[in-house]
Amino acid sequence: MLTECEGLVVELLNALQWRYATKRMTGAEVPSEKVDRILEAIQLAPSCFGLQPYSVIVVKDPEQRSRIREQAANQPQVEECSHLLVFAAWDPVEDQSVTDWVGRVAEVRDLPVESLSGLQATIAGSVGPRSREERFQWAVRQAYIGLGMAVAAAATMEVDASPMEGFSPEALDECLGLRARALRSVVLLALGYRDAKSDRYASAKKVRWPREKTILQWPFDRR
């Protein structure tokens, strides 16, 4: 007999079996409450120190998505989706962001900010020595955690989600005016509903490496 939590895990696994990287979408709109839940999953995603050094731009406007498609290797799901999420890492990740985050922790937990000096020193000691590009690459890795949470959340509601790296970041940054907001685009996520008649992958079997290739146990088998 599964516990309630175990049952939820089984539901998630079934949802992940259902999903695939949808290549063609119908253009049908995803209800706003489902989009909000996906965005909330991103906001609740874990990140290093909880700093979440990235932002997500929600693009619903058809004309803007059409322009973005031109910068994204003409991938049709950019235009055929309901909502396009643009994950953009902070650049630069400012030292002030660490101070602001510690202040946020103090506010939410009703603590004197002085009591969090150790936390601030720890974060600053990790982030501070990094170059601007190293900070950006660190922020990129955090953004991908949010992407994974979004994909999983969408699957549980049978919303198709197509992650995409095939685009020109520089062109997209200019198209959306991201650099003026100290952001650089990292990855796209199209949300919508599959067009099973037009997408040849809709009925294809899911292909993954065998579990023993992906999941390894330590100590390794020396045979």
PDB file of all heavy atoms in Angstrom, residues 84-117:
ATOM      1  N   LEU A  84       5.721  31.320 -24.116  1.00  0.00           N
ATOM      2  CA  LEU A  84       7.147  31.029 -24.254  1.00  0.00           C
ATOM      3  C   LEU A  84       7.860  31.596 -23.033  1.00  0.00           C
ATOM      4  O   LEU A  84       7.763  32.791 -22.743  1.00  0.00           O
ATOM      5  CB  LEU A  84       7.707  31.649 -25.529  1.00  0.00           C
ATOM      6  CG  LEU A  84       9.182  31.356 -25.812  1.00  0.00           C
ATOM      7  CD1 LEU A  84       9.384  29.881 -26.155  1.00  0.00           C
ATOM      8  CD2 LEU A  84       9.705  32.249 -26.935  1.00  0.00           C
ATOM      9  N   LEU A  85       8.556  30.728 -22.317  1.00  0.00           N
ATOM     10  CA  LEU A  85       9.336  31.158 -21.159  1.00  0.00           C
ATOM     11  C   LEU A  85      10.799  31.309 -21.566  1.00  0.00           C
ATOM     12  O   LEU A  85      11.382  30.397 -22.144  1.00  0.00           O
ATOM     13  CB  LEU A  85       9.232  30.154 -20.009  1.00  0.00           C
ATOM     14  CG  LEU A  85       7.824  29.746 -19.557  1.00  0.00           C
ATOM     15  CD1 LEU A  85       7.909  28.896 -18.291  1.00  0.00           C
ATOM     16  CD2 LEU A  85       6.934  30.955 -19.347  1.00  0.00           C
ATOM     17  N   VAL A  86      11.364  32.457 -21.280  1.00  0.00           N
ATOM     18  CA  VAL A  86      12.769  32.723 -21.561  1.00  0.00           C
ATOM     19  C   VAL A  86      13.512  32.769 -20.230  1.00  0.00           C
ATOM     20  O   VAL A  86      13.283  33.670 -19.410  1.00  0.00           O
ATOM     21  CB  VAL A  86      12.955  34.055 -22.316  1.00  0.00           C
ATOM     22  CG1 VAL A  86      14.436  34.301 -22.605  1.00  0.00           C
ATOM     23  CG2 VAL A  86      12.140  34.061 -23.605  1.00  0.00           C
ATOM     24  N   PHE A  87      14.373  31.798 -20.008  1.00  0.00           N
ATOM     25  CA  PHE A  87      15.188  31.777 -18.793  1.00  0.00           C
ATOM     26  C   PHE A  87      16.432  32.608 -19.062  1.00  0.00           C
ATOM     27  O   PHE A  87      17.185  32.334 -20.009  1.00  0.00           O
ATOM     28  CB  PHE A  87      15.584  30.351 -18.424  1.00  0.00           C
ATOM     29  CG  PHE A  87      14.450  29.514 -17.875  1.00  0.00           C
ATOM     30  CD1 PHE A  87      13.464  29.031 -18.720  1.00  0.00           C
ATOM     31  CD2 PHE A  87      14.371  29.227 -16.517  1.00  0.00           C
ATOM     32  CE1 PHE A  87      12.415  28.264 -18.226  1.00  0.00           C
ATOM     33  CE2 PHE A  87      13.322  28.468 -16.009  1.00  0.00           C
ATOM     34  CZ  PHE A  87      12.347  27.983 -16.867  1.00  0.00           C
ATOM     35  N   ALA A  88      16.639  33.632 -18.241  1.00  0.00           N
ATOM     36  CA  ALA A  88      17.747  34.559 -18.452  1.00  0.00           C
ATOM     37  C   ALA A  88      18.549  34.703 -17.163  1.00  0.00           C
ATOM     38  O   ALA A  88      17.992  35.023 -16.108  1.00  0.00           O
ATOM     39  CB  ALA A  88      17.230  35.920 -18.901  1.00  0.00           C
ATOM     40  N   ALA A  89      19.843  34.444 -17.243  1.00  0.00           N
ATOM     41  CA  ALA A  89      20.714  34.554 -16.065  1.00  0.00           C
ATOM     42  C   ALA A  89      21.110  36.005 -15.839  1.00  0.00           C
ATOM     43  O   ALA A  89      21.221  36.790 -16.780  1.00  0.00           O
ATOM     44  CB  ALA A  89      21.957  33.692 -16.255  1.00  0.00           C
ATOM     45  N   TRP A  90      21.314  36.349 -14.582  1.00  0.00           N
ATOM     46  CA  TRP A  90      21.766  37.699 -14.248  1.00  0.00           C
ATOM     47  C   TRP A  90      23.186  37.888 -14.753  1.00  0.00           C
ATOM     48  O   TRP A  90      24.045  37.011 -14.623  1.00  0.00           O
ATOM     49  CB  TRP A  90      21.745  37.913 -12.740  1.00  0.00           C
ATOM     50  CG  TRP A  90      20.390  37.836 -12.109  1.00  0.00           C
ATOM     51  CD1 TRP A  90      19.187  37.699 -12.727  1.00  0.00           C
ATOM     52  CD2 TRP A  90      20.119  37.871 -10.703  1.00  0.00           C
ATOM     53  NE1 TRP A  90      18.172  37.654 -11.805  1.00  0.00           N
ATOM     54  CE2 TRP A  90      18.709  37.755 -10.555  1.00  0.00           C
ATOM     55  CE3 TRP A  90      20.905  37.984  -9.569  1.00  0.00           C
ATOM     56  CZ2 TRP A  90      18.091  37.751  -9.307  1.00  0.00           C
ATOM     57  CZ3 TRP A  90      20.304  37.985  -8.317  1.00  0.00           C
ATOM     58  CH2 TRP A  90      18.899  37.873  -8.188  1.00  0.00           C
ATOM     59  N   ASP A  91      23.440  39.045 -15.313  1.00  0.00           N
ATOM     60  CA  ASP A  91      24.797  39.398 -15.718  1.00  0.00           C
ATOM     61  C   ASP A  91      24.943  40.910 -15.704  1.00  0.00           C
ATOM     62  O   ASP A  91      24.371  41.593 -16.557  1.00  0.00           O
ATOM     63  CB  ASP A  91      25.112  38.849 -17.112  1.00  0.00           C
ATOM     64  CG  ASP A  91      26.548  39.146 -17.524  1.00  0.00           C
ATOM     65  OD1 ASP A  91      27.433  39.037 -16.650  1.00  0.00           O
ATOM     66  OD2 ASP A  91      26.768  39.499 -18.693  1.00  0.00           O
ATOM     67  N   PRO A  92      25.656  41.439 -14.734  1.00  0.00           N
ATOM     68  CA  PRO A  92      26.449  40.695 -13.758  1.00  0.00           C
ATOM     69  C   PRO A  92      25.636  40.279 -12.530  1.00  0.00           C
ATOM     70  O   PRO A  92      24.581  40.852 -12.253  1.00  0.00           O
ATOM     71  CB  PRO A  92      27.519  41.710 -13.361  1.00  0.00           C
ATOM     72  CG  PRO A  92      26.817  43.038 -13.474  1.00  0.00           C
ATOM     73  CD  PRO A  92      25.890  42.893 -14.658  1.00  0.00           C
ATOM     74  N   VAL A  93      26.161  39.285 -11.820  1.00  0.00           N
ATOM     75  CA  VAL A  93      25.651  38.962 -10.484  1.00  0.00           C
ATOM     76  C   VAL A  93      26.397  39.875  -9.519  1.00  0.00           C
ATOM     77  O   VAL A  93      27.590  39.704  -9.276  1.00  0.00           O
ATOM     78  CB  VAL A  93      25.891  37.479 -10.130  1.00  0.00           C
ATOM     79  CG1 VAL A  93      25.389  37.194  -8.720  1.00  0.00           C
ATOM     80  CG2 VAL A  93      25.207  36.562 -11.134  1.00  0.00           C
ATOM     81  N   GLU A  94      25.710  40.879  -9.030  1.00  0.00           N
ATOM     82  CA  GLU A  94      26.347  41.926  -8.222  1.00  0.00           C
ATOM     83  C   GLU A  94      26.555  41.471  -6.779  1.00  0.00           C
ATOM     84  O   GLU A  94      25.772  40.687  -6.231  1.00  0.00           O
ATOM     85  CB  GLU A  94      25.471  43.185  -8.220  1.00  0.00           C
ATOM     86  CG  GLU A  94      25.188  43.756  -9.606  1.00  0.00           C
ATOM     87  CD  GLU A  94      26.327  44.613 -10.126  1.00  0.00           C
ATOM     88  OE1 GLU A  94      27.432  44.578  -9.529  1.00  0.00           O
ATOM     89  OE2 GLU A  94      26.117  45.316 -11.127  1.00  0.00           O
ATOM     90  N   ASP A  95      27.598  42.024  -6.147  1.00  0.00           N
ATOM     91  CA  ASP A  95      27.803  41.777  -4.713  1.00  0.00           C
ATOM     92  C   ASP A  95      26.600  42.263  -3.920  1.00  0.00           C
ATOM     93  O   ASP A  95      26.232  41.670  -2.901  1.00  0.00           O
ATOM     94  CB  ASP A  95      29.067  42.497  -4.229  1.00  0.00           C
ATOM     95  CG  ASP A  95      30.342  41.906  -4.819  1.00  0.00           C
ATOM     96  OD1 ASP A  95      30.301  40.729  -5.271  1.00  0.00           O
ATOM     97  OD2 ASP A  95      31.368  42.602  -4.820  1.00  0.00           O
ATOM     98  N   GLN A  96      25.956  43.332  -4.402  1.00  0.00           N
ATOM     99  CA  GLN A  96      24.795  43.878  -3.706  1.00  0.00           C
ATOM    100  C   GLN A  96      23.658  42.867  -3.653  1.00  0.00           C
ATOM    101  O   GLN A  96      22.856  42.880  -2.717  1.00  0.00           O
ATOM    102  CB  GLN A  96      24.329  45.162  -4.395  1.00  0.00           C
ATOM    103  CG  GLN A  96      23.176  45.875  -3.692  1.00  0.00           C
ATOM    104  CD  GLN A  96      23.536  46.329  -2.288  1.00  0.00           C
ATOM    105  OE1 GLN A  96      24.641  46.835  -2.046  1.00  0.00           O
ATOM    106  NE2 GLN A  96      22.625  46.138  -1.325  1.00  0.00           N
ATOM    107  N   SER A  97      23.601  41.968  -4.643  1.00  0.00           N
ATOM    108  CA  SER A  97      22.551  40.952  -4.647  1.00  0.00           C
ATOM    109  C   SER A  97      22.666  40.040  -3.435  1.00  0.00           C
ATOM    110  O   SER A  97      21.659  39.589  -2.883  1.00  0.00           O
ATOM    111  CB  SER A  97      22.627  40.120  -5.933  1.00  0.00           C
ATOM    112  OG  SER A  97      22.390  40.920  -7.063  1.00  0.00           O
ATOM    113  N   VAL A  98      23.896  39.776  -3.020  1.00  0.00           N
ATOM    114  CA  VAL A  98      24.109  38.943  -1.824  1.00  0.00           C
ATOM    115  C   VAL A  98      23.589  39.673  -0.593  1.00  0.00           C
ATOM    116  O   VAL A  98      22.879  39.099   0.242  1.00  0.00           O
ATOM    117  CB  VAL A  98      25.605  38.598  -1.667  1.00  0.00           C
ATOM    118  CG1 VAL A  98      25.839  37.844  -0.363  1.00  0.00           C
ATOM    119  CG2 VAL A  98      26.090  37.782  -2.864  1.00  0.00           C
ATOM    120  N   THR A  99      23.920  40.946  -0.489  1.00  0.00           N
ATOM    121  CA  THR A  99      23.448  41.745   0.646  1.00  0.00           C
ATOM    122  C   THR A  99      21.932  41.828   0.657  1.00  0.00           C
ATOM    123  O   THR A  99      21.290  41.678   1.706  1.00  0.00           O
ATOM    124  CB  THR A  99      24.054  43.161   0.579  1.00  0.00           C
ATOM    125  OG1 THR A  99      25.481  43.065   0.608  1.00  0.00           O
ATOM    126  CG2 THR A  99      23.574  44.006   1.752  1.00  0.00           C
ATOM    127  N   ASP A 100      21.351  42.036  -0.524  1.00  0.00           N
ATOM    128  CA  ASP A 100      19.890  42.126  -0.618  1.00  0.00           C
ATOM    129  C   ASP A 100      19.235  40.802  -0.235  1.00  0.00           C
ATOM    130  O   ASP A 100      18.178  40.792   0.406  1.00  0.00           O
ATOM    131  CB  ASP A 100      19.478  42.522  -2.035  1.00  0.00           C
ATOM    132  CG  ASP A 100      19.879  43.945  -2.389  1.00  0.00           C
ATOM    133  OD1 ASP A 100      20.198  44.718  -1.458  1.00  0.00           O
ATOM    134  OD2 ASP A 100      19.879  44.270  -3.592  1.00  0.00           O
ATOM    135  N   TRP A 101      19.859  39.692  -0.630  1.00  0.00           N
ATOM    136  CA  TRP A 101      19.283  38.380  -0.321  1.00  0.00           C
ATOM    137  C   TRP A 101      19.312  38.110   1.183  1.00  0.00           C
ATOM    138  O   TRP A 101      18.335  37.630   1.754  1.00  0.00           O
ATOM    139  CB  TRP A 101      20.028  37.278  -1.066  1.00  0.00           C
ATOM    140  CG  TRP A 101      19.598  35.898  -0.644  1.00  0.00           C
ATOM    141  CD1 TRP A 101      20.336  34.964  -0.008  1.00  0.00           C
ATOM    142  CD2 TRP A 101      18.298  35.325  -0.807  1.00  0.00           C
ATOM    143  NE1 TRP A 101      19.599  33.840   0.237  1.00  0.00           N
ATOM    144  CE2 TRP A 101      18.335  34.034  -0.251  1.00  0.00           C
ATOM    145  CE3 TRP A 101      17.115  35.773  -1.381  1.00  0.00           C
ATOM    146  CZ2 TRP A 101      17.229  33.185  -0.236  1.00  0.00           C
ATOM    147  CZ3 TRP A 101      16.002  34.928  -1.373  1.00  0.00           C
ATOM    148  CH2 TRP A 101      16.075  33.658  -0.804  1.00  0.00           C
ATOM    149  N   VAL A 102      20.406  38.437   1.809  1.00  0.00           N
ATOM    150  CA  VAL A 102      20.495  38.254   3.256  1.00  0.00           C
ATOM    151  C   VAL A 102      19.445  39.119   3.952  1.00  0.00           C
ATOM    152  O   VAL A 102      18.803  38.685   4.913  1.00  0.00           O
ATOM    153  CB  VAL A 102      21.916  38.576   3.767  1.00  0.00           C
ATOM    154  CG1 VAL A 102      21.964  38.561   5.296  1.00  0.00           C
ATOM    155  CG2 VAL A 102      22.918  37.565   3.199  1.00  0.00           C
ATOM    156  N   GLY A 103      19.246  40.324   3.452  1.00  0.00           N
ATOM    157  CA  GLY A 103      18.191  41.177   3.995  1.00  0.00           C
ATOM    158  C   GLY A 103      16.816  40.575   3.813  1.00  0.00           C
ATOM    159  O   GLY A 103      15.952  40.675   4.693  1.00  0.00           O
ATOM    160  N   ARG A 104      16.609  39.930   2.683  1.00  0.00           N
ATOM    161  CA  ARG A 104      15.333  39.257   2.413  1.00  0.00           C
ATOM    162  C   ARG A 104      15.119  38.100   3.383  1.00  0.00           C
ATOM    163  O   ARG A 104      14.014  37.903   3.896  1.00  0.00           O
ATOM    164  CB  ARG A 104      15.345  38.753   0.966  1.00  0.00           C
ATOM    165  CG  ARG A 104      14.170  37.860   0.572  1.00  0.00           C
ATOM    166  CD  ARG A 104      12.871  38.610   0.497  1.00  0.00           C
ATOM    167  NE  ARG A 104      11.810  37.764  -0.028  1.00  0.00           N
ATOM    168  CZ  ARG A 104      10.518  38.046   0.061  1.00  0.00           C
ATOM    169  NH1 ARG A 104      10.126  39.163   0.653  1.00  0.00           N
ATOM    170  NH2 ARG A 104       9.616  37.241  -0.444  1.00  0.00           N
ATOM    171  N   VAL A 105      16.157  37.317   3.639  1.00  0.00           N
ATOM    172  CA  VAL A 105      16.063  36.211   4.603  1.00  0.00           C
ATOM    173  C   VAL A 105      15.694  36.750   5.985  1.00  0.00           C
ATOM    174  O   VAL A 105      14.818  36.210   6.674  1.00  0.00           O
ATOM    175  CB  VAL A 105      17.388  35.429   4.671  1.00  0.00           C
ATOM    176  CG1 VAL A 105      17.341  34.381   5.782  1.00  0.00           C
ATOM    177  CG2 VAL A 105      17.678  34.754   3.334  1.00  0.00           C
ATOM    178  N   ALA A 106      16.348  37.835   6.377  1.00  0.00           N
ATOM    179  CA  ALA A 106      16.071  38.421   7.687  1.00  0.00           C
ATOM    180  C   ALA A 106      14.626  38.893   7.781  1.00  0.00           C
ATOM    181  O   ALA A 106      13.950  38.688   8.795  1.00  0.00           O
ATOM    182  CB  ALA A 106      17.035  39.582   7.942  1.00  0.00           C
ATOM    183  N   GLU A 107      14.132  39.494   6.703  1.00  0.00           N
ATOM    184  CA  GLU A 107      12.767  40.005   6.690  1.00  0.00           C
ATOM    185  C   GLU A 107      11.748  38.869   6.784  1.00  0.00           C
ATOM    186  O   GLU A 107      10.816  38.912   7.601  1.00  0.00           O
ATOM    187  CB  GLU A 107      12.533  40.805   5.411  1.00  0.00           C
ATOM    188  CG  GLU A 107      11.112  41.326   5.245  1.00  0.00           C
ATOM    189  CD  GLU A 107      10.882  41.984   3.902  1.00  0.00           C
ATOM    190  OE1 GLU A 107      11.820  42.009   3.068  1.00  0.00           O
ATOM    191  OE2 GLU A 107       9.754  42.455   3.658  1.00  0.00           O
ATOM    192  N   VAL A 108      11.911  37.853   5.953  1.00  0.00           N
ATOM    193  CA  VAL A 108      10.936  36.762   5.895  1.00  0.00           C
ATOM    194  C   VAL A 108      10.936  35.956   7.193  1.00  0.00           C
ATOM    195  O   VAL A 108       9.876  35.532   7.680  1.00  0.00           O
ATOM    196  CB  VAL A 108      11.217  35.855   4.685  1.00  0.00           C
ATOM    197  CG1 VAL A 108      10.342  34.599   4.727  1.00  0.00           C
ATOM    198  CG2 VAL A 108      10.979  36.611   3.380  1.00  0.00           C
ATOM    199  N   ARG A 109      12.108  35.752   7.776  1.00  0.00           N
ATOM    200  CA  ARG A 109      12.222  34.922   8.983  1.00  0.00           C
ATOM    201  C   ARG A 109      12.172  35.736  10.265  1.00  0.00           C
ATOM    202  O   ARG A 109      12.338  35.190  11.358  1.00  0.00           O
ATOM    203  CB  ARG A 109      13.498  34.090   8.914  1.00  0.00           C
ATOM    204  CG  ARG A 109      13.475  33.092   7.756  1.00  0.00           C
ATOM    205  CD  ARG A 109      14.735  32.278   7.649  1.00  0.00           C
ATOM    206  NE  ARG A 109      14.626  31.309   6.548  1.00  0.00           N
ATOM    207  CZ  ARG A 109      15.623  30.539   6.099  1.00  0.00           C
ATOM    208  NH1 ARG A 109      16.833  30.643   6.672  1.00  0.00           N
ATOM    209  NH2 ARG A 109      15.431  29.690   5.109  1.00  0.00           N
ATOM    210  N   ASP A 110      11.955  37.042  10.099  1.00  0.00           N
ATOM    211  CA  ASP A 110      11.840  37.939  11.250  1.00  0.00           C
ATOM    212  C   ASP A 110      13.064  37.826  12.154  1.00  0.00           C
ATOM    213  O   ASP A 110      12.971  37.575  13.364  1.00  0.00           O
ATOM    214  CB  ASP A 110      10.558  37.633  12.034  1.00  0.00           C
ATOM    215  CG  ASP A 110      10.195  38.745  13.020  1.00  0.00           C
ATOM    216  OD1 ASP A 110      10.652  39.884  12.807  1.00  0.00           O
ATOM    217  OD2 ASP A 110       9.463  38.464  13.995  1.00  0.00           O
ATOM    218  N   LEU A 111      14.222  38.033  11.553  1.00  0.00           N
ATOM    219  CA  LEU A 111      15.486  37.951  12.268  1.00  0.00           C
ATOM    220  C   LEU A 111      16.239  39.271  12.123  1.00  0.00           C
ATOM    221  O   LEU A 111      16.102  39.957  11.094  1.00  0.00           O
ATOM    222  CB  LEU A 111      16.364  36.829  11.702  1.00  0.00           C
ATOM    223  CG  LEU A 111      15.851  35.399  11.826  1.00  0.00           C
ATOM    224  CD1 LEU A 111      16.714  34.471  10.991  1.00  0.00           C
ATOM    225  CD2 LEU A 111      15.833  34.959  13.283  1.00  0.00           C
ATOM    226  N   PRO A 112      17.034  39.645  13.106  1.00  0.00           N
ATOM    227  CA  PRO A 112      17.901  40.813  12.909  1.00  0.00           C
ATOM    228  C   PRO A 112      18.949  40.487  11.864  1.00  0.00           C
ATOM    229  O   PRO A 112      19.557  39.407  11.888  1.00  0.00           O
ATOM    230  CB  PRO A 112      18.529  41.031  14.293  1.00  0.00           C
ATOM    231  CG  PRO A 112      18.391  39.724  15.001  1.00  0.00           C
ATOM    232  CD  PRO A 112      17.165  39.064  14.462  1.00  0.00           C
ATOM    233  N   VAL A 113      19.164  41.385  10.926  1.00  0.00           N
ATOM    234  CA  VAL A 113      20.085  41.105   9.840  1.00  0.00           C
ATOM    235  C   VAL A 113      21.496  40.843  10.368  1.00  0.00           C
ATOM    236  O   VAL A 113      22.270  40.081   9.764  1.00  0.00           O
ATOM    237  CB  VAL A 113      20.060  42.259   8.821  1.00  0.00           C
ATOM    238  CG1 VAL A 113      20.728  43.523   9.391  1.00  0.00           C
ATOM    239  CG2 VAL A 113      20.721  41.836   7.514  1.00  0.00           C
ATOM    240  N   GLU A 114      21.815  41.430  11.521  1.00  0.00           N
ATOM    241  CA  GLU A 114      23.148  41.227  12.083  1.00  0.00           C
ATOM    242  C   GLU A 114      23.390  39.770  12.454  1.00  0.00           C
ATOM    243  O   GLU A 114      24.532  39.290  12.445  1.00  0.00           O
ATOM    244  CB  GLU A 114      23.341  42.102  13.330  1.00  0.00           C
ATOM    245  CG  GLU A 114      23.315  43.603  13.076  1.00  0.00           C
ATOM    246  CD  GLU A 114      21.893  44.144  12.930  1.00  0.00           C
ATOM    247  OE1 GLU A 114      20.927  43.386  13.229  1.00  0.00           O
ATOM    248  OE2 GLU A 114      21.736  45.307  12.514  1.00  0.00           O
ATOM    249  N   SER A 115      22.314  39.050  12.760  1.00  0.00           N
ATOM    250  CA  SER A 115      22.464  37.649  13.155  1.00  0.00           C
ATOM    251  C   SER A 115      22.818  36.756  11.973  1.00  0.00           C
ATOM    252  O   SER A 115      23.155  35.583  12.154  1.00  0.00           O
ATOM    253  CB  SER A 115      21.176  37.140  13.804  1.00  0.00           C
ATOM    254  OG  SER A 115      20.123  37.032  12.848  1.00  0.00           O
ATOM    255  N   LEU A 116      22.743  37.311  10.765  1.00  0.00           N
ATOM    256  CA  LEU A 116      23.015  36.534   9.562  1.00  0.00           C
ATOM    257  C   LEU A 116      24.360  36.907   8.940  1.00  0.00           C
ATOM    258  O   LEU A 116      24.610  36.628   7.768  1.00  0.00           O
ATOM    259  CB  LEU A 116      21.899  36.752   8.535  1.00  0.00           C
ATOM    260  CG  LEU A 116      20.497  36.321   8.982  1.00  0.00           C
ATOM    261  CD1 LEU A 116      19.464  36.705   7.934  1.00  0.00           C
ATOM    262  CD2 LEU A 116      20.450  34.821   9.248  1.00  0.00           C
ATOM    263  N   SER A 117      25.219  37.505   9.749  1.00  0.00           N
ATOM    264  CA  SER A 117      26.526  37.910   9.222  1.00  0.00           C
ATOM    265  C   SER A 117      27.335  36.707   8.741  1.00  0.00           C
ATOM    266  O   SER A 117      28.080  36.789   7.767  1.00  0.00           O
ATOM    267  CB  SER A 117      27.312  38.682  10.284  1.00  0.00           C
ATOM    268  OG  SER A 117      27.491  37.881  11.452  1.00  0.00           O
TER     269      SER A 117
END
